[in-house]
mmCIF file of all heavy atoms in Angstrom:
data_model
loop_
_atom_site.group_PDB
_atom_site.id
_atom_site.type_symbol
_atom_site.label_atom_id
_atom_site.label_comp_id
_atom_site.label_asym_id
_atom_site.label_seq_id
_atom_site.Cartn_x
_atom_site.Cartn_y
_atom_site.Cartn_z
ATOM 1 N N ALA G 123 0.845 -1.205 0.001
ATOM 2 C CA ALA G 123 -0.038 0.071 0.034
ATOM 3 C C ALA G 123 0.929 1.264 0.032
ATOM 4 O O ALA G 123 1.919 1.274 0.637
ATOM 5 C CB ALA G 123 -0.945 -0.041 1.224
ATOM 6 N N ARG G 124 0.480 2.186 -0.754
ATOM 7 C CA ARG G 124 1.177 3.587 -0.740
ATOM 8 C C ARG G 124 0.692 4.289 0.426
ATOM 9 O O ARG G 124 -0.482 4.288 0.764
ATOM 10 C CB ARG G 124 0.885 4.194 -2.019
ATOM 11 C CG ARG G 124 1.536 3.505 -3.191
ATOM 12 C CD ARG G 124 1.338 4.278 -4.522
ATOM 13 N NE ARG G 124 0.781 5.539 -4.467
ATOM 14 C CZ ARG G 124 1.004 6.442 -5.424
ATOM 15 N NH1 ARG G 124 1.878 6.252 -6.449
ATOM 16 N NH2 ARG G 124 0.344 7.595 -5.408
ATOM 17 N N GLU G 125 1.558 5.024 1.047
ATOM 18 C CA GLU G 125 1.238 5.932 2.202
ATOM 19 C C GLU G 125 0.342 7.058 1.654
ATOM 20 O O GLU G 125 0.595 7.603 0.565
ATOM 21 C CB GLU G 125 2.535 6.512 2.820
ATOM 22 C CG GLU G 125 2.304 7.163 4.053
ATOM 23 C CD GLU G 125 3.709 7.613 4.648
ATOM 24 O OE1 GLU G 125 4.640 7.644 3.846
ATOM 25 O OE2 GLU G 125 3.650 7.885 5.765
ATOM 26 N N SER G 126 -0.660 7.387 2.353
ATOM 27 C CA SER G 126 -1.594 8.454 1.988
ATOM 28 C C SER G 126 -0.880 9.821 2.095
ATOM 29 O O SER G 126 0.093 10.009 2.824
ATOM 30 C CB SER G 126 -2.847 8.439 2.855
ATOM 31 O OG SER G 126 -2.537 9.002 4.106
ATOM 32 N N PHE G 127 -1.336 10.675 1.307
ATOM 33 C CA PHE G 127 -0.850 12.136 1.275
ATOM 34 C C PHE G 127 -0.837 12.718 2.728
ATOM 35 O O PHE G 127 0.133 13.255 3.198
ATOM 36 C CB PHE G 127 -1.644 12.989 0.320
ATOM 37 C CG PHE G 127 -1.171 14.380 0.332
ATOM 38 C CD1 PHE G 127 -0.067 14.858 -0.352
ATOM 39 C CD2 PHE G 127 -1.958 15.375 1.027
ATOM 40 C CE1 PHE G 127 0.337 16.164 -0.273
ATOM 41 C CE2 PHE G 127 -1.483 16.727 1.100
ATOM 42 C CZ PHE G 127 -0.363 17.103 0.412
ATOM 43 N N ASN G 128 -1.955 12.620 3.381
ATOM 44 C CA ASN G 128 -2.111 13.165 4.644
ATOM 45 C C ASN G 128 -1.151 12.443 5.697
ATOM 46 O O ASN G 128 -0.592 13.092 6.556
ATOM 47 C CB ASN G 128 -3.531 12.953 5.181
ATOM 48 C CG ASN G 128 -4.447 13.973 4.606
ATOM 49 O OD1 ASN G 128 -4.112 14.977 4.062
ATOM 50 N ND2 ASN G 128 -5.768 13.674 4.550
ATOM 51 N N SER G 129 -0.899 11.169 5.636
ATOM 52 C CA SER G 129 0.007 10.540 6.519
ATOM 53 C C SER G 129 1.505 10.947 6.288
ATOM 54 O O SER G 129 2.299 11.210 7.138
ATOM 55 C CB SER G 129 -0.156 9.065 6.658
ATOM 56 O OG SER G 129 0.183 8.425 5.359
ATOM 57 N N ARG G 130 1.735 11.136 4.925
ATOM 58 C CA ARG G 130 3.120 11.596 4.573
ATOM 59 C C ARG G 130 3.364 13.046 5.016
ATOM 60 O O ARG G 130 4.333 13.414 5.646
ATOM 61 C CB ARG G 130 3.303 11.559 3.049
ATOM 62 C CG ARG G 130 3.373 10.138 2.529
ATOM 63 C CD ARG G 130 3.731 9.997 1.090
ATOM 64 N NE ARG G 130 3.720 11.231 0.318
ATOM 65 C CZ ARG G 130 3.417 11.297 -1.020
ATOM 66 N NH1 ARG G 130 3.090 10.161 -1.654
ATOM 67 N NH2 ARG G 130 3.395 12.445 -1.590
ATOM 68 N N LEU G 131 2.250 13.851 4.852
ATOM 69 C CA LEU G 131 2.310 15.249 5.316
ATOM 70 C C LEU G 131 2.548 15.343 6.830
ATOM 71 O O LEU G 131 3.375 16.060 7.369
ATOM 72 C CB LEU G 131 1.076 15.950 4.924
ATOM 73 C CG LEU G 131 1.031 17.406 4.908
ATOM 74 C CD1 LEU G 131 2.098 18.048 3.934
ATOM 75 C CD2 LEU G 131 -0.370 17.960 4.541
ATOM 76 N N LYS G 132 1.729 14.470 7.534
ATOM 77 C CA LYS G 132 1.851 14.449 9.026
ATOM 78 C C LYS G 132 3.275 14.086 9.429
ATOM 79 O O LYS G 132 3.877 14.615 10.393
ATOM 80 C CB LYS G 132 0.858 13.559 9.677
ATOM 81 C CG LYS G 132 0.740 13.649 11.197
ATOM 82 C CD LYS G 132 -0.302 12.798 11.731
ATOM 83 C CE LYS G 132 -0.470 12.888 13.198
ATOM 84 N NZ LYS G 132 -1.543 12.134 13.784
ATOM 85 N N ALA G 133 3.848 13.008 8.776
ATOM 86 C CA ALA G 133 5.162 12.538 9.128
ATOM 87 C C ALA G 133 6.221 13.656 8.869
ATOM 88 O O ALA G 133 7.286 13.554 9.583
ATOM 89 C CB ALA G 133 5.444 11.267 8.308
ATOM 90 N N LEU G 134 6.037 14.482 8.051
ATOM 91 C CA LEU G 134 6.965 15.628 7.786
ATOM 92 C C LEU G 134 6.903 16.740 8.781
ATOM 93 O O LEU G 134 7.639 17.671 8.649
ATOM 94 C CB LEU G 134 6.929 16.029 6.276
ATOM 95 C CG LEU G 134 7.213 14.971 5.278
ATOM 96 C CD1 LEU G 134 6.905 15.525 3.867
ATOM 97 C CD2 LEU G 134 8.693 14.579 5.320
ATOM 98 N N GLY G 135 5.917 16.703 9.546
ATOM 99 C CA GLY G 135 5.709 17.827 10.563
ATOM 100 C C GLY G 135 6.814 17.773 11.652
ATOM 101 O O GLY G 135 7.549 16.843 11.806
ATOM 102 N N ASP G 136 6.881 18.922 12.266
ATOM 103 C CA ASP G 136 7.870 19.111 13.336
ATOM 104 C C ASP G 136 7.060 19.064 14.707
ATOM 105 O O ASP G 136 6.386 20.058 14.998
ATOM 106 C CB ASP G 136 8.564 20.473 13.196
ATOM 107 C CG ASP G 136 9.540 20.737 14.332
ATOM 108 O OD1 ASP G 136 9.729 19.914 15.198
ATOM 109 O OD2 ASP G 136 10.096 21.835 14.320
ATOM 110 N N PRO G 137 7.215 17.993 15.515
ATOM 111 C CA PRO G 137 6.549 17.885 16.772
ATOM 112 C C PRO G 137 7.017 18.883 17.845
ATOM 113 O O PRO G 137 6.242 19.017 18.874
ATOM 114 C CB PRO G 137 6.749 16.436 17.204
ATOM 115 C CG PRO G 137 8.052 16.008 16.556
ATOM 116 C CD PRO G 137 8.121 16.814 15.177
ATOM 117 N N THR G 138 7.993 19.680 17.588
ATOM 118 C CA THR G 138 8.422 20.643 18.535
ATOM 119 C C THR G 138 8.195 22.048 17.990
ATOM 120 O O THR G 138 8.524 22.981 18.684
ATOM 121 C CB THR G 138 9.935 20.496 18.780
ATOM 122 O OG1 THR G 138 10.714 20.769 17.582
ATOM 123 C CG2 THR G 138 10.359 19.204 19.269
ATOM 124 N N SER G 139 7.434 22.246 16.917
ATOM 125 C CA SER G 139 7.209 23.506 16.420
ATOM 126 C C SER G 139 6.455 24.461 17.340
ATOM 127 O O SER G 139 5.576 24.016 18.124
ATOM 128 C CB SER G 139 6.250 23.335 15.069
ATOM 129 O OG SER G 139 5.967 24.658 14.550
ATOM 130 N N THR G 140 6.804 25.682 17.290
ATOM 131 C CA THR G 140 6.060 26.698 18.010
ATOM 132 C C THR G 140 5.491 27.791 17.165
ATOM 133 O O THR G 140 5.188 28.891 17.655
ATOM 134 C CB THR G 140 7.050 27.343 18.999
ATOM 135 O OG1 THR G 140 8.178 27.958 18.413
ATOM 136 C CG2 THR G 140 7.500 26.346 20.108
ATOM 137 N N ASN G 141 5.391 27.501 15.873
ATOM 138 C CA ASN G 141 5.011 28.541 14.888
ATOM 139 C C ASN G 141 3.482 28.086 14.384
ATOM 140 O O ASN G 141 3.315 26.988 13.824
ATOM 141 C CB ASN G 141 5.978 28.563 13.729
ATOM 142 C CG ASN G 141 5.748 29.746 12.825
ATOM 143 O OD1 ASN G 141 5.237 30.703 13.202
ATOM 144 N ND2 ASN G 141 6.151 29.659 11.561
ATOM 145 N N LEU G 142 2.576 29.055 14.500
ATOM 146 C CA LEU G 142 1.206 28.761 14.144
ATOM 147 C C LEU G 142 0.841 29.588 12.909
ATOM 148 O O LEU G 142 1.262 30.739 12.793
ATOM 149 C CB LEU G 142 0.236 29.075 15.244
ATOM 150 C CG LEU G 142 0.303 28.152 16.399
ATOM 151 C CD1 LEU G 142 -0.788 28.498 17.428
ATOM 152 C CD2 LEU G 142 0.286 26.671 16.124
ATOM 153 N N TYR G 143 0.075 29.024 12.022
ATOM 154 C CA TYR G 143 -0.369 29.720 10.804
ATOM 155 C C TYR G 143 -1.840 30.112 11.051
ATOM 156 O O TYR G 143 -2.640 29.311 11.506
ATOM 157 C CB TYR G 143 -0.363 28.694 9.690
ATOM 158 C CG TYR G 143 -0.933 29.135 8.316
ATOM 159 C CD1 TYR G 143 -0.186 30.151 7.513
ATOM 160 C CD2 TYR G 143 -2.187 28.742 7.974
ATOM 161 C CE1 TYR G 143 -0.724 30.557 6.399
ATOM 162 C CE2 TYR G 143 -2.672 29.183 6.714
ATOM 163 C CZ TYR G 143 -1.987 30.123 5.970
ATOM 164 O OH TYR G 143 -2.513 30.535 4.723
ATOM 165 N N ILE G 144 -2.128 31.341 10.967
ATOM 166 C CA ILE G 144 -3.475 31.937 11.302
ATOM 167 C C ILE G 144 -3.974 32.366 9.934
ATOM 168 O O ILE G 144 -3.462 33.241 9.232
ATOM 169 C CB ILE G 144 -3.439 33.154 12.215
ATOM 170 C CG1 ILE G 144 -2.449 32.913 13.411
ATOM 171 C CG2 ILE G 144 -4.805 33.494 12.732
ATOM 172 C CD1 ILE G 144 -2.790 31.736 14.283
ATOM 173 N N SER G 145 -5.247 31.862 9.577
ATOM 174 C CA SER G 145 -5.853 32.340 8.221
ATOM 175 C C SER G 145 -7.238 32.727 8.513
ATOM 176 O O SER G 145 -7.828 32.648 9.553
ATOM 177 C CB SER G 145 -5.731 31.156 7.244
ATOM 178 O OG SER G 145 -6.525 30.078 7.740
ATOM 179 N N ASN G 146 -7.851 33.413 7.467
ATOM 180 C CA ASN G 146 -9.084 33.886 7.475
ATOM 181 C C ASN G 146 -9.226 35.116 8.402
ATOM 182 O O ASN G 146 -10.259 35.433 9.003
ATOM 183 C CB ASN G 146 -10.160 32.931 7.869
ATOM 184 C CG ASN G 146 -11.472 33.043 7.254
ATOM 185 O OD1 ASN G 146 -11.564 33.693 6.172
ATOM 186 N ND2 ASN G 146 -12.543 32.596 7.877
ATOM 187 N N LEU G 147 -8.088 35.910 8.511
ATOM 188 C CA LEU G 147 -8.111 37.105 9.273
ATOM 189 C C LEU G 147 -8.735 38.235 8.464
ATOM 190 O O LEU G 147 -8.435 38.370 7.248
ATOM 191 C CB LEU G 147 -6.612 37.483 9.543
ATOM 192 C CG LEU G 147 -5.835 36.594 10.574
ATOM 193 C CD1 LEU G 147 -4.388 36.934 10.411
ATOM 194 C CD2 LEU G 147 -6.359 36.830 11.971
ATOM 195 N N PRO G 148 -9.413 39.128 9.236
ATOM 196 C CA PRO G 148 -9.899 40.306 8.513
ATOM 197 C C PRO G 148 -8.684 41.165 8.136
ATOM 198 O O PRO G 148 -7.678 41.142 8.771
ATOM 199 C CB PRO G 148 -10.692 41.084 9.616
ATOM 200 C CG PRO G 148 -10.967 40.027 10.687
ATOM 201 C CD PRO G 148 -9.870 38.957 10.584
#
C-alpha cells in the first residue's frame, strides 16, 4: 500500500514547532 498524502504530510511535521499559521483574518 502507498502511504496516503495526509500521513506523509503528518510525518513531515515538526513535533516541537512553536509556529502557528493563522488564516481567514480580517
Side-chain angles (χ1 to χ4, degrees):
R124 292 181 5 154
E125 189 177 20
S126 75
F127 175 78
N128 285 339
S129 63
R130 288 186 351 211
L131 199 58
K132 187 175 181 178
L134 294 172
D136 177 2
T138 64
S139 177
T140 60
N141 194 23
L142 294 184
Y143 175 79
I144 319 293
S145 61
N146 214 24
L147 288 167

